[in-house]
Amino acid sequence: MAYAKETYRAELLAAARQLGERCLYSAAKWAAELLVGVEPDAAPVQSAAMDTPSSSSATSAGRLLHLHRSGGSSFRHRPRPGGGISSEAGTPLGGVSYVSTPIPDDDAFDSGGDKYLLAKTYFDCREYRRAAHVLQKQVGRKAVFLRCYALYMAGEKRKEAEMIELEGSLGKSNAVNQELVALEKELSTHRRTGSIDSFGLYLYGIVLRDKGCEDLARTILVESVNSYPWNWSAWSELQSLCTSSDILNNLNLKNNWMKDFFLASAYLELKMHEEALKRYERLMGVFRCSGYIQAQIATVQYSMRDLDEAEMKFEDLLRTDPFRVDSMDIYSNLLYAKESLTALSFLAHRVFLTDKYRPESCCIIANYYSLKGQHEKSVLYFQRALKLNRKYLSAWTLMGHEYVELKNTPAAIDAYRRAVDINPRDFRAWYGLGQIYEMMGMPFYALHYFRKSSYLQPNDARLWIAMAQCYESDPLQMIEEAIKCYERAANSNDTEGIALHRLAKLHGMLGQSEEAAFYYKKDLERMEVEERQGQNFVEALLFLAKHYKSIGRFEEAEHYCTRLLDYTGPEKETAKNMLQGIKRSQSGFPSMDTDHFAL
Amino acid sequence: MSLFAGVSGGAADAASGVGTGRALLELTPHKMAVCQLVQVFAPPAQAGGDVVPPFPFESLAHHNRLGLFLFTLTRSCEDFLEPPLEEFLRQLKAVDNLANGWFCEQLTSSLSALNSPDDLFNFFDKLRGVLTAPEGASAEDVFLDPNSQLGVFLRCCILAFNSMTFEGVCHLLADLVMYCNSTDASYDLAEDEDFNSEMGNLMDADIGSQVGIFDKFHQGYASERHMGESSSALTRAPTSTYYFDDANIFKADDNPTCLRSRWQLEAYLNQQADILEKDPGSVPLNSFNATMTQLQTLAPELHRVQFLQYLNALCHDDYVASLDNLHRYFDYSAGMQGLFGRSVSQVQDIVVGKYESALLCLGNLHCYFGHPKKALEAFAEAVRVSQMNNDDSCLAYVLGAISNLLSKIGISNTVGIISSPYSLGTNIGLGTPLSIQQQLLVLLKRSLKRADALKLASLLSFDHLSLAKFDLKHVQRPLVSFGPNASTKLRTCPADVIKNLRLGSLVLTDFGADVLSTSNDNGSFSTSWLRNLSAASDSWRRSSKNTKKLHINDFDDFHYHAQPSPVPAPILQLAGSAYLLRATAWEHYGSAPMVRMNALVYATCFADAASSSELSLAYVKLIQQLAVFKGYSAAFCALKLAEKKFPSSTSLHIQLLGMQILHERALHRGHLKVAQQICDEFGVLSSSVSGVDIELKTEFSVRRARTLLAAKQFSQAAAVASSLFSTCYKYNMQVENASILLLLAEIHKKSDNAVLALPCALASQSFCKSFNLDLLEASATLTLAELWLALGSSHAKKALSLVYQSLPMILGHGGLELRARAHIILAKCHLSDPKFSVLEDPEAVLDPLNQATEDLQALEYHEMAAEAYYLKAMAYNHLGKLDEREEAAARFKDHVTALENPQNEEDSLAY
C-alpha cells in the first residue's frame, strides 16, 4: 500500500493540532507549514482537508480510533513494531519502507477540561506560573505535561531575567532554571511508572539536557520521537545533541518518514552536504511546496558554494513567503558573497519591517553595512544579534571578520574565540584566528589555528593554502612543509590555482626543476582551460622554455619560446634570443651567445 | 585610636582591580555576615563611647582577636567559594569560645532578622555609622579607620549595596535566607512570624548571662593578663597545627554559590599555581580540572583559570590539552580588553596579557615537551614580536628562555637552528658560524645587559645563574689567536662561576625594583591562620585522629610566631638555586664538605619556596654524598625517607638516584645480571630523539661501559666508551670527556694493556687540570700510578711519588672507594718496591690495608676487598705472622667466592 500523500496530510494535521493543544508552538508551526507543503494529489479526496484521521480511508487499522480512554489522556497501546497488524509498511520515497506510527488521539478533554482550557489561555498569554497553578492536582497526562511545561517555561523566563540581573564583574553568573530539579524528579517518577507520554518525554529530555546529562537526554529524546515522530522540536533538540556522525549513527531510531527530515538536517549540521542534499531532494518529491525544505536545500547549496542555484531558491521562497525571517540570514550571507548590494538592502529592509528584534534580522542588517564598508555599524548590529542570542554562532564569526576590517585585532580574536568555544567544529572561526595572528606577524603561532581548521575541513584548498603561506613566510622559511600543504591544496580542487603556481615556484627555488616543470605545465594547462592569461602564464612559459632547453629537449623548448613571442615585454626578447640559440645548437654550430656581439 | 590603620596597603591592591564602572565587590550573605561582625567589633559610637574595650569584649586581647579574625577573613584564599554559614560559625567559635558563643548567637539572630528589602536598607544604613566619627569625637575615641583594611571592606560593601538595583537587593535577600537556612533547623526562623519576639527573648537571656560568662573568662585568663600587650595576648591562639583533610565537607547543596572577592580569587589561583609547581603529583589531573571548570562557569570572564588549566595539563604531560588551553587563554586575555565591558586588571603582570608572552609560553611548552626545533621557532617569533611591540622586558625574558633551551639541548648541527637573522649575528669577524655554545654565551650576555638596564632583578639573577652554569661546564678559549705559537690554552674559570653565583644571589637584597615585590602579601598567611584557627577549634574533637598526620612541607606548618616572609617566593627560589648550583659546582671541583654544606643550606632554608624537582635535587645530592662516604645502607635509609617525601613515580631525580645507587652496589657485589638490568632501565628512560636528554644518555653509556668492564668484556667496554667519547666531543662536552678518558684508561688497564691506557690517563689528567676538576685529577693520578706499577717494579718509586701527590686531596675529599683504592695502591707500591722491606716498616703497608678493608666493608666491594686481603696476607706472610695470615687469607677466599658465585642476586634490586 502506498504511503499516500493523504496519509502524510492526515498525520501532519493531527500532529499540528495536538502540538498546538500542548502549547508546543514551534513544533506545531513546523507541522502546519509542512502540511501546507504537501501538494494535494491530482484528484482531491473529498474529505482530506478537514477530517480527523479516522475518516481517512488510507489509514491502517492501527490508526483507527476506537480507543478506550483511561485517565486523562489516551494513548493506544502501541503494537510492537513488526507485529504485523498495525505497523503498515508503506512504500515511501526512494523505496525505503517506513514504519508508520499510530496517531494518538486526545482531542477530547477529560474531566478537567475547563481548567485545561484556562491554563492554556494563561500559557498563551505567557503567564506561565498561573497556568501551572491552575493545573495543580490535575492528573491527566495532558494536564501534567502542560503544568510541567509551564513550570519549565516560567523557570526559563526567570533565568533569562536573572542572567541580566546577576551579571557580575567576572561575567555571567550561573543563572540556572530553578525548576529543573523538581521537574526532573517528577518526570523521572512518571517515566518509571509508565505514566508519561511522548510529550512528557520530550520535556524530560530538554530538562536533562539543561542539567548536563546529555547521554540520558539523548536516550529519552529518542524514546520520545520513536513514540511520537511528528514533534519537530524533539528532533531538533536531538540533533543539537548529536555533535558527531558517530553519535548520529548509533541512534536507535524507528524508520519513520520524519527521520529523513532529521537526518538531512543533522547531515547539514555535520557538513555532510551531499547526503543532506540527497535526502532533501527526495523529500521534496512529496512536500513539493514546503518552504522549509526549499530553504534547507538552498542552505546546502550555499554551503557547497553553489551560489546561483541557492539564490534562485531563496528568491523563489521569498516570493511565496515574503515575511519569512527563518534562514534569511543565510540568504544575506549569500548576497554578501555575491556582493549584490541592492538585493541585500531590499532584504534588510523587508526583515526590518517584519521583525527587527530577531537575531537573524540584526545579522542581515549587519551584513548589509559590512558590504557597504561601514564596519562600525555592522559591529553594532552583530552585537545586537548576540544580545538576543548569545549562542548565535555565525554572528560571532562574522563579527570577528568585521573587527578584522576595523583593525581591532584583540576584539576580533575574542569574537572568533567565543565562536570556537560555542562550537569547536566551526572551521571558519579557527581560520579567522589563524589569519589574524598571521596578520600580526606571528605565523608560527597562527599555524596552530590553521591546523585546527584544516583538520575540520580537510578538503578545503583555501585552508591548506593559508597554512602553506604561513610556512613559506619570511620568518619561518619551512619550504618543505609549505610544499606539502600546497600539494594538499592542489589535490583538493583549488579553484584559484594559487597552489600549482606556488608549488612550481617553490620547487624551482629548491632547484628541483623536474618537479617545477611538472607543476608549471599543470598550471599552464589549467590557465588554458580557464582562458586566463597574465604574468603567471608568461612566467610558466619562460620557465618551461628554459628548462627544456637546459635538458636538451629543444623541440619543446622551441614550442614554448614561440608561444612566448605572443607577449610583449622583456620575456619576448629573451625568447627570441633563446630561439636563436636553439637553432644554432640544432644546426650543429658551436653555440654562441649573440649577446656578446650585440654591443 | 584607629584600628588596623597600617594595613591599608593590601586594600590599595584590592582597589586596583576595579572594573570599568562596576562595583568593587559583589555583595553576598557571607560578606554581610562579616559586616555584621565588624559592627560588633567597632560599634557605632554612642554617647559615652569611651569604654575600652567596647561592650561584649572582655579584654583588649579578645577584642583584637576578633579584629584579626575579620582581617584574615577578607584576605584568605583557601577556596574560591565563600564558606556557608555553618562553616563560618565554626570558625567564629574558635574566636568566640571565650564569650560562650555570644557572637554566633548574635550573628545568626541579626542575619535572620533581615526579612524584607527594607531591613537590608536599614542594615547598611547602620553600617555607615561605624565609619563616621561621632560629632565632637576626639582622636582618642575608638572608631574604625575608613582607610584600614576593614574600613575599605566596609566601604566597598556599602558602595556595592548603594549601587545595587532593586532586583539585586531581592537576590541578596533570597540568598541570605538560603544562607541562614543552610545551617540547621534551629536557625531556620526567617519565615517564622514569632521570630522576632522569640529571638529577642533569647538575646535577653544571653545578655543576662553575660556577667557570668565574663567572670569565667576572668578566672581562666587572669594568669595571662599580666602579659599586658594585646599582641602577645593574641598569641593565645592554640599552637597546634591541625588542618582540614577536606575543606569541602561542609558545603551544603542548597548554599548559594557565592564567589569571593576578585582579589581573593586571584590569590587563590596564584596559590594553586604554586602548588602545581611545588608538587604536581599531589594534584590529580581530572579533579583539578573539574574544580577549575566549576570556577569558570561561575566566573567566565576570569581567564586566569584557563592558564591554570594549561599549567595543570602541562604538569600532567597532556600535550594536546595544554596546547589548547594555552591558546585559549591568550586568545581571550592577550588583547587586555573585551567586548562586553570586561574588567581590566591594571596590574601589569609580566607574563600575562600580551601576544609575545603567548609565544614565550608556547616556546616553553615545546621546550618542556622536548620539541627543541618548535620551541626555537616560537622563541624566534617572540623575539620578533616583542621587538615590533617594543616590549623590552619580554624580549629579555625570551632571550633568557632561549639560552635556557640552548643549554638544555646539545644540538650538534648549529646551522639552521637559529636561521632567522633576527636572533643573532651569524658570524663574528672571522666569518665562521657560531657554535651553539657561542650563541648561548652571546644570548646570555645580551639578556643580562637588558635585564640590568630594565632593572628586572629576577631575570638578572636568572641570567647570572645561567652564566655560572655555562662557565661551569664550558671551556673558554682565547677569542682571537693568531699564528702557530699563540697559546691555545683551554680552561674553565672557577672565578667567573663564583662571581656569577654571588651576583645571582644578590637578588635577595635588591628585589625591590622588580614586579615581583608587589605581590608580597598573597593571602597565604591569612589562609593558614584561618585554617589553623578552625583546626584548633576542632582539636577537642579530633585531636586523636590528627596526630599521625605528617607534615609534608614546612610551609604548611603554621608557626604562630611566624610572620609572612618578607621575601616573595620567586625571589627565594632564585636565591635558593644559587645555592644548589654552588653545590653542583663544588661537586665538579671536588670538595665534598662544600657540596654537603650548600645542599644542606638549600634543603633547610629554601625548602618553602622550592619546587619539588629542585628540592629533590638537593636531597639527591645529600644522599649521593652519603652513599659515597657512608656506604650503601646509610644511603638507602635516607633514600627511603626521601621517597616518602617525593614518590618516585613523580620525581625523576629520586628515581634516577635509586637506580644509580643500586647499580653501584650491584657492580660492587658482583651481581652483574642485576647491574645489566638496571643499566637497561637507564637506557629506556631517555628519549629516542637525538639531541635530547643528552645527560641521561651519557650516564647510560658510562654505566654500560662499566658493567661490561666488570663482566670482563674489555673490547666491548672500550668500544662503548670510545663511542661515548666521540659523542661528547661532538656535543662539545669537554668536562664529561675527562671522566670518560679516565674510564677508558681504566678499561685498558684492566685488560692489561698499560701502554694503551697510559695516554688516556695522561689526557684525562691534563683535561682535569685545565678544567679544575681536582678530585677527578687525583683519581687520574692514582690510575697513572697504577699504570706505572703495572709497567714493572722499576717504576715503583715514580708510582709512589704520584700516590703521595694525590693523597692530600683524596684523604680530604675522596669517598670510601677512592680512599681504599689509594691505600691499596700505596701498599702495592711499597710491596713491589724492591728496596722496601716489610720487616723494617710493616706499618707502612698494614695501616693503609687495614684502612682500606674497613672502608670497603661498607661498600661491599668484593673485588677490591679481595685484593686488599690478598695483599694483607702476603704482608703477614713476609712478617711470619701465620695466624693473621690465615685470617686474611680466609677473608680473601670469602670475597672471591662471593664475587664468583653471586648469591641472592634479587636482593640487589631491593633496598
Side-chain angles (χ1 to χ4, degrees):
Chain A
M1 183 202 278
Y3 213 81
K5 285 192 174 148
E6 279 317 305
T7 325
Y8 289 115
R9 288 181 55 84
E11 286 181 11
L12 283 171
L13 186 62
R17 276 190 189 164
Q18 283 161 352
L19 290 164
E21 196 68 32
R22 287 176 175 79
C23 303
L24 293 165
Y25 301 125
S26 61
K29 179 181 91 177
W30 194 87
E33 272 178 8
L34 210 59
L35 174 66
V36 176
V38 183
E39 203 185 37
D41 282 334
V45 178
Q46 187 195 357
S47 59
M50 297 306 293
D51 269 357
T52 54
S54 60
S55 66
S56 161
S57 59
T59 46
S60 66
R63 254 177 286 111
L64 294 177
L65 295 171
H66 312 294
L67 303 168
H68 60 281
R69 307 223 164 93
S70 61
S73 95
S74 46
F75 262 55
R76 255 191 107 253
H77 286 292
R78 271 193 306 283
R80 305 254 172 288
I85 309 165
S86 64
S87 72
E88 124 203 285
T91 316
L93 342 146
V96 191
S97 53
Y98 290 127
V99 178
S100 84
T101 310
I103 303 171
D105 164 65
D106 55 2
D107 281 344
F109 289 115
D110 41 41
S111 54
D114 309 346
K115 287 209 168 165
Y116 189 89
L117 195 63
L118 179 61
K120 185 173 177 316
T121 50
Y122 279 148
F123 196 103
D124 290 343
C125 296
R126 300 166 143 254
E127 297 184 55
Y128 301 120
R129 287 207 186 275
R130 249 178 131 183
H133 188 77
V134 170
L135 288 174
Q136 260 174 356
K137 307 213 172 68
Q138 298 282 323
V139 288
R141 289 183 193 189
K142 216 163 132 184
V144 167
F145 167 76
L146 192 63
R147 180 166 52 76
C148 290
Y149 190 47
L151 277 178
Y152 177 78
M153 290 306 285
E156 285 293 299
K157 199 173 156 191
R158 188 78 206 106
K159 183 177 107 183
E160 296 287 330
E162 273 182 13
M163 263 175 29
I164 291 160
E165 288 165 15
L166 290 177
E167 192 172 351
S169 63
L170 293 170
K172 298 268 177 207
S173 78
N174 60 332
V176 287
N177 188 336
Q178 298 288 343
E179 310 292 339
L180 286 187
V181 181
L183 281 178
E184 195 211 345
K185 219 174 268 173
E186 183 177 353
L187 287 168
S188 68
T189 325
H190 283 313
R191 180 167 178 251
R192 227 174 302 124
T193 55
S195 59
I196 194 167
D197 56 9
S198 45
F199 303 103
L201 284 172
Y202 158 66
L203 185 59
Y204 188 30
I206 54 178
V207 166
L208 284 171
R209 184 210 52 196
D210 285 355
K211 287 200 77 186
C213 322
E214 300 206 339
D215 287 330
L216 187 56
R218 222 175 285 132
T219 324
I220 300 291
L221 284 171
V222 167
E223 252 177 69
S224 169
V225 295
N226 276 345
S227 60
Y228 189 86
W230 304 282
N231 183 357
W232 180 243
S233 300
W235 287 107
S236 48
E237 292 300 340
L238 186 58
Q239 187 210 314
S240 72
L241 289 172
C242 294
T243 44
S244 75
S245 52
D246 282 345
I247 299 178
L248 187 67
N249 294 335
N250 285 334
L251 293 179
N252 183 19
L253 291 171
K254 272 212 267 177
N255 203 6
N256 190 280
W257 52 271
M258 282 292 283
K259 187 182 166 190
D260 278 338
F261 279 100
F262 165 71
L263 284 180
S265 149
Y267 285 145
L268 176 59
E269 195 61 32
L270 294 172
K271 306 220 163 32
M272 299 153 76
H273 299 307
E274 275 88 3
E275 287 91 332
L277 194 58
K278 223 159 49 194
R279 271 176 205 267
Y280 276 131
E281 273 167 356
R282 222 162 57 198
L283 286 167
M284 201 65 177
V286 180
F287 305 95
R288 215 156 281 157
C289 312
S290 163
Y292 168 78
I293 299 178
Q294 211 176 342
Q296 291 295 95
I297 289 179
T299 308
V300 179
Q301 282 169 337
Y302 167 69
S303 306
M304 294 167 78
R305 318 292 304 165
D306 193 355
L307 300 186
D308 297 326
E309 275 292 310
E311 192 185 4
M312 264 159 54
K313 285 254 160 50
F314 274 124
E315 273 170 5
D316 231 29
L317 194 58
L318 268 185
R319 218 168 296 132
T320 51
D321 188 2
F323 298 103
R324 186 185 178 94
V325 182
D326 293 328
S327 306
M328 281 304 119
D329 51 335
I330 314 252
Y331 183 39
S332 79
N333 289 346
L334 184 148
L335 291 175
Y336 184 93
K338 293 193 76 173
E339 297 185 16
S340 27
L341 249 173
T342 335
L344 189 52
S345 75
F346 181 66
L347 179 68
H349 187 181
R350 185 134 73 170
V351 292
F352 172 77
L353 290 181
T354 312
D355 185 355
K356 69 179 238 184
Y357 291 116
R358 285 276 294 266
E360 288 92 345
S361 321
C362 299
C363 207
I364 293 167
I365 297 168
N367 266 339
Y368 170 67
Y369 275 122
S370 173
L371 195 59
K372 281 294 256 189
Q374 302 191 2
H375 300 293
E376 290 92 347
K377 283 192 180 164
S378 172
V379 164
L380 201 74
Y381 278 96
F382 277 127
Q383 276 175 346
R384 190 189 275 182
L386 288 167
K387 272 251 156 68
L388 291 167
N389 177 8
R390 257 191 101 77
K391 294 217 180 281
Y392 193 1
L393 183 67
S394 62
W396 280 115
T397 315
L398 291 173
M399 189 160 77
H401 294 332
E402 294 311 307
Y403 276 124
V404 173
E405 293 292 336
L406 288 171
K407 303 270 183 300
N408 187 350
T409 35
I413 290 174
D414 194 298
Y416 283 136
R417 177 43 91 165
R418 275 163 209 274
V420 162
D421 278 353
I422 291 170
N423 181 4
R425 302 181 52 80
D426 183 26
F427 78 97
R428 278 190 195 84
W430 285 116
Y431 178 69
L433 277 170
Q435 269 186 320
I436 291 184
Y437 280 113
E438 199 190 354
M439 266 164 45
M440 289 165 67
M442 297 162 73
F444 183 76
Y445 202 73
L447 276 174
H448 173 79
Y449 299 101
F450 285 134
R451 237 174 260 142
K452 286 255 178 199
S453 70
S454 58
Y455 170 76
L456 293 171
Q457 189 87 346
N459 291 323
D460 196 328
R462 290 169 299 169
L463 309 180
W464 290 108
I465 288 173
M467 191 139 86
Q469 279 165 347
C470 267
Y471 273 122
E472 66 163 331
S473 64
D474 273 339
L476 286 184
Q477 293 283 348
M478 295 157 89
I479 305 292
E480 271 144 48
E481 284 83 353
I483 286 181
K484 277 181 208 157
C485 292
Y486 278 129
E487 273 169 6
R488 284 295 299 259
N491 289 338
S492 44
N493 188 23
D494 169 29
T495 46
E496 288 157 61
I498 303 170
L500 285 174
H501 181 243
R502 293 302 308 166
L503 267 175
K505 259 214 139 112
L506 288 179
H507 277 300
M509 267 164 64
L510 290 177
Q512 300 160 336
S513 43
E514 208 50 55
E515 286 89 344
F518 173 74
Y519 285 114
Y520 269 124
K521 219 168 173 178
K522 268 189 121 173
D523 198 26
L524 216 55
E525 281 162 20
R526 183 188 61 81
M527 283 190 276
E528 276 165 1
V529 169
E530 291 171 18
E531 295 179 344
R532 261 196 282 182
Q533 294 184 339
Q535 196 52 41
N536 287 353
F537 199 78
V538 176
E539 197 183 319
L541 285 176
L542 191 62
F543 181 90
L544 285 171
K546 280 183 180 164
H547 173 71
Y548 282 120
K549 192 187 163 205
S550 68
I551 59 170
R553 287 164 64 176
F554 294 116
E555 259 173 54
E556 277 104 332
E558 211 176 325
H559 166 71
Y560 289 115
C561 280
T562 2
R563 287 182 67 179
L564 263 179
L565 292 179
D566 296 346
Y567 296 88
T568 52
E571 288 86 3
K572 190 173 176 180
E573 295 306 312
T574 326
K576 270 184 191 164
N577 287 341
M578 274 169 69
L579 268 177
Q580 284 169 3
I582 289 168
K583 274 185 190 130
R584 252 194 311 284
S585 50
Q586 270 175 329
S587 57
F589 287 117
S591 123
M592 258 190 226
D593 212 322
T594 45
D595 285 350
H596 288 286
F597 303 101
L599 291 173
Chain B
M1 184 176 82
S2 49
L3 298 159
F4 295 100
V7 290
S8 53
D13 272 3
S16 69
V18 193
T20 45
R22 286 191 186 279
L24 195 58
L25 44 76
E26 279 142 47
L27 265 184
T28 58
H30 176 75
K31 293 203 180 73
M32 286 187 61
V34 177
C35 285
Q36 170 65 25
L37 283 178
V38 172
Q39 211 174 358
V40 172
F41 174 67
Q46 62 243 128
D50 48 355
V51 190
V52 177
F55 162 59
F57 300 98
E58 175 51 25
S59 64
L60 265 183
H62 191 202
H63 188 218
N64 281 349
R65 199 160 142 73
L66 180 69
L68 194 57
F69 174 67
L70 293 174
F71 173 74
T72 52
L73 274 183
T74 60
R75 304 293 279 174
S76 82
C77 49
E78 191 173 21
D79 194 3
F80 55 88
L81 291 178
E82 293 187 329
L85 184 57
E86 191 180 0
E87 162 89 13
F88 182 55
L89 286 179
R90 215 162 45 78
Q91 288 174 338
L92 185 59
K93 259 182 201 130
V95 181
D96 196 22
N97 53 28
L98 310 175
N100 206 9
W102 187 84
F103 289 139
C104 297
E105 295 292 345
Q106 213 269 340
L107 180 67
T108 43
S109 64
S110 54
L111 281 187
S112 32
L114 301 170
N115 271 328
S116 67
D118 196 47
D119 290 344
L120 287 181
F121 279 99
N122 293 335
F123 178 86
F124 282 98
D125 249 7
K126 238 170 93 189
L127 269 190
R128 214 170 297 166
V130 175
L131 284 171
T132 45
E135 275 180 47
S138 59
E140 288 85 43
D141 283 345
V142 179
F143 67 94
L144 196 68
D145 181 356
N147 291 322
S148 67
Q149 172 77 24
L150 290 181
V152 170
F153 175 76
L154 222 53
R155 279 156 60 201
C156 289
C157 287
I158 294 170
L159 178 69
F161 184 77
N162 286 342
S163 56
M164 221 177 224
T165 56
F166 188 75
E167 291 98 317
V169 177
C170 291
H171 279 294
L172 183 61
L173 192 67
D175 283 350
L176 194 67
V177 170
M178 220 151 58
Y179 181 71
C180 293
N181 290 348
S182 69
T183 46
D184 66 48
S186 69
Y187 293 125
D188 190 6
L189 296 164
E191 277 146 10
D192 195 337
E193 288 182 1
D194 300 335
F195 162 72
N196 280 330
S197 59
E198 228 176 60
M199 212 57 200
N201 293 339
L202 224 140
M203 277 167 69
D204 285 346
D206 253 13
I207 293 163
S209 68
Q210 267 173 10
V211 186
I213 296 161
F214 288 143
D215 278 347
K216 257 188 261 168
F217 177 71
H218 265 301
Q219 287 156 15
Y221 281 82
S223 52
E224 268 82 34
R225 290 298 298 276
H226 67 266
M227 284 177 169
E229 275 179 43
S230 56
S231 64
S232 69
L234 271 173
T235 61
R236 293 309 317 143
T239 46
S240 51
T241 52
Y242 310 122
Y243 52 91
F244 296 126
D245 294 313
D246 187 358
N248 298 337
I249 301 169
F250 293 97
K251 266 182 208 154
D253 268 338
D254 53 350
N255 195 45
T257 48
C258 297
L259 286 173
R260 292 175 186 231
S261 69
R262 195 188 176 101
W263 188 91
Q264 283 175 316
L265 283 183
E266 288 187 354
Y268 169 76
L269 291 180
N270 285 339
Q271 210 179 28
Q272 295 301 313
D274 282 348
I275 293 174
L276 272 179
E277 190 196 0
K278 233 176 254 168
D279 192 10
S282 73
V283 186
L285 174 73
N286 289 327
S287 70
F288 185 79
N289 265 347
T291 321
M292 286 298 131
T293 316
Q294 194 194 350
L295 178 53
Q296 205 174 12
T297 48
L298 289 174
E301 302 293 334
L302 190 70
H303 298 297
R304 195 82 70 85
V305 176
Q306 287 149 5
F307 193 71
L308 277 181
Q309 282 177 326
Y310 151 68
L311 285 181
N312 186 34
L314 193 69
C315 287
H316 291 90
D317 294 335
D318 187 343
Y319 176 71
V320 178
S322 54
L323 199 63
D324 278 348
N325 279 314
L326 176 88
H327 280 278
R328 174 177 292 137
Y329 171 67
F330 281 105
D331 281 348
Y332 273 128
S333 70
M336 313 276 277
Q337 60 188 27
L339 303 172
F340 293 111
R342 182 149 11 114
S343 62
V344 181
S345 163
Q346 286 170 3
V347 184
Q348 289 291 320
D349 207 345
I350 203 74
V351 191
V352 176
K354 289 185 191 129
Y355 297 109
E356 51 270 28
S357 350
L359 285 162
L360 179 60
C361 285
L362 184 65
N364 279 331
L365 172 112
H366 283 307
C367 184
Y368 178 86
F369 283 109
H371 310 145
K373 213 163 150 54
K374 280 187 175 173
L376 265 178
E377 291 289 357
F379 284 139
E381 199 158 291
V383 169
R384 234 172 20 244
V385 175
S386 34
Q387 278 169 346
M388 214 161 63
N389 299 347
N390 295 325
D391 188 349
D392 285 339
S393 50
C394 185
L395 187 58
Y397 278 103
V398 176
L399 292 179
I402 297 181
S403 51
N404 183 32
L405 173 69
L406 287 186
S407 68
K408 261 188 196 159
I409 52 167
I411 300 169
S412 57
N413 53 335
T414 57
V415 187
I417 285 301
I418 304 183
S419 55
S420 52
Y422 307 93
S423 53
L424 289 173
T426 39
N427 46 19
I428 293 177
L430 299 170
T432 51
L434 289 168
S435 75
I436 270 278
Q437 263 84 22
Q438 282 163 319
Q439 287 190 351
L440 174 56
L441 189 64
V442 173
L443 277 173
L444 275 176
K445 291 251 164 91
R446 262 176 67 179
S447 173
L448 191 70
K449 230 162 64 196
R450 275 179 188 281
D452 200 19
L454 296 168
K455 301 261 172 293
L456 302 171
S458 50
L459 183 62
L460 193 66
S461 150
F462 173 81
D463 283 336
H464 275 303
L465 292 182
S466 315
L467 265 180
K469 211 153 93 186
F470 179 84
D471 287 337
L472 186 65
K473 280 273 180 121
H474 294 101
V475 185
Q476 292 177 357
R477 61 183 95 207
L479 202 62
V480 190
S481 57
F482 291 108
N485 294 331
S487 72
T488 49
K489 216 170 159 191
L490 306 170
R491 52 181 305 115
T492 60
C493 193
D496 279 359
V497 175
I498 211 70
K499 196 180 84 192
N500 275 317
L501 279 174
R502 289 233 171 118
L503 286 172
S505 7
L506 276 187
V507 72
L508 268 178
T509 53
D510 54 322
F511 59 83
D514 209 343
V515 178
L516 293 161
S517 60
T518 54
S519 58
N520 195 357
D521 177 16
N522 54 9
S524 57
F525 185 74
S526 300
T527 310
S528 52
W529 193 87
L530 209 56
R531 205 184 257 168
N532 275 285
L533 186 68
S534 3
S537 69
D538 274 3
S539 60
W540 299 295
R541 275 180 280 157
R542 311 201 292 169
S543 58
S544 58
K545 237 180 14 183
N546 270 295
T547 39
K548 62 183 174 227
K549 183 144 190 166
L550 277 171
H551 296 300
I552 298 161
N553 200 332
D554 305 20
F555 188 71
D556 298 332
D557 202 345
F558 187 81
H559 300 299
Y560 193 72
H561 297 279
Q563 291 298 308
S565 162
V567 187
I571 298 284
L572 266 184
Q573 217 171 2
L574 276 169
S577 21
Y579 279 91
L580 206 55
L581 202 56
R582 254 173 234 213
T584 317
W586 283 118
E587 230 170 39
H588 276 276
Y589 298 141
S591 170
M594 294 302 277
V595 175
R596 275 198 293 271
M597 198 188 79
N598 281 309
L600 264 179
V601 166
Y602 186 83
T604 46
C605 300
F606 297 99
D608 289 355
S611 69
S612 72
S613 94
E614 292 207 325
L615 192 61
S616 68
L617 196 60
Y619 277 62
V620 164
K621 291 201 185 305
L622 287 171
I623 294 171
Q624 274 172 342
Q625 292 283 318
L626 262 185
V628 173
F629 287 92
K630 291 267 163 16
Y632 296 120
S633 48
F636 280 125
C637 279
L639 182 60
K640 266 180 212 157
L641 288 179
E643 272 187 348
K644 241 178 233 160
K645 205 170 152 88
F646 313 98
S648 61
S649 56
T650 59
S651 169
L652 185 65
H653 290 304
I654 297 284
Q655 194 189 352
L656 281 179
L657 175 73
M659 285 162 61
Q660 280 166 350
I661 301 181
L662 280 175
H663 185 248
E664 298 283 336
R665 190 173 67 172
L667 280 185
H668 285 175
R669 281 179 174 176
H671 294 171
L672 293 181
K673 272 187 202 145
V674 176
Q676 184 62 44
Q677 187 185 331
I678 297 168
C679 197
D680 290 343
E681 281 173 31
F682 258 107
V684 174
L685 277 180
S686 58
S687 153
S688 57
V689 181
S690 79
V692 180
D693 289 343
I694 294 283
E695 283 178 19
L696 208 56
K697 282 175 188 163
T698 315
E699 178 157 3
F700 162 66
S701 298
V702 169
R703 290 192 182 275
R704 196 155 151 244
R706 285 182 55 196
T707 316
L708 288 169
L709 174 63
K712 304 217 185 321
Q713 293 169 327
F714 300 115
S715 56
Q716 286 181 41
V720 170
S722 33
S723 87
L724 178 60
F725 179 82
S726 50
T727 319
C728 284
Y729 186 80
K730 193 169 107 186
Y731 289 107
N732 217 351
M733 296 158 73
Q734 312 291 5
V735 174
E736 280 77 5
N737 268 344
S739 59
I740 294 166
L741 279 171
L742 189 59
L743 177 66
L744 213 52
E746 203 74 28
I747 294 168
H748 289 310
K749 186 191 83 189
K750 285 264 169 72
S751 62
D752 290 329
N753 201 342
V755 184
L756 261 181
L758 211 51
C760 290
L762 280 171
S764 168
Q765 199 191 21
S766 71
F767 264 63
C768 291
K769 264 202 187 112
S770 50
F771 302 152
N772 304 299
L773 310 172
D774 293 350
L775 194 63
L776 198 64
E777 189 195 342
S779 166
T781 317
L782 217 55
T783 308
L784 264 183
E786 274 184 287
L787 290 171
W788 282 120
L789 267 185
L791 286 178
S793 55
S794 55
H795 299 290
K797 200 87 197 152
K798 183 162 186 144
L800 194 63
S801 78
L802 280 173
V803 174
Y804 278 138
Q805 191 187 321
S806 65
L807 264 186
M809 186 66 206
I810 289 176
L811 294 182
H813 297 283
L816 291 176
E817 185 186 342
L818 200 57
R819 284 210 303 255
R821 238 180 88 204
H823 283 134
I824 291 173
I825 295 168
L826 191 63
K828 261 167 125 179
C829 286
H830 284 307
L831 287 176
S832 55
D833 189 353
K835 288 175 198 147
F836 179 82
S837 152
V838 185
L839 289 171
E840 276 170 26
D841 189 5
E843 299 304 310
V845 178
L846 286 177
D847 264 357
L849 284 179
N850 283 331
Q851 193 69 47
T853 48
E854 207 174 284
D855 287 349
L856 289 170
Q857 206 62 45
L859 287 179
E860 308 173 52
Y861 199 166
H862 293 311
E863 196 183 350
M864 254 165 53
E867 195 179 358
Y869 279 116
Y870 173 77
L871 292 174
K872 225 167 150 181
M874 295 284 284
Y876 282 126
N877 191 31
H878 280 295
L879 291 170
K881 293 185 176 174
L882 293 185
D883 285 350
E884 280 92 343
R885 189 196 70 186
E886 289 305 313
E887 196 197 329
R891 301 295 298 276
F892 167 72
K893 202 180 162 202
D894 287 348
H895 282 294
V896 169
T897 45
L899 189 63
E900 280 172 358
N901 307 312
Q903 283 177 350
N904 305 329
E905 282 215 25
E906 303 79 46
D907 290 358
S908 279
L909 274 176
Y911 50 87

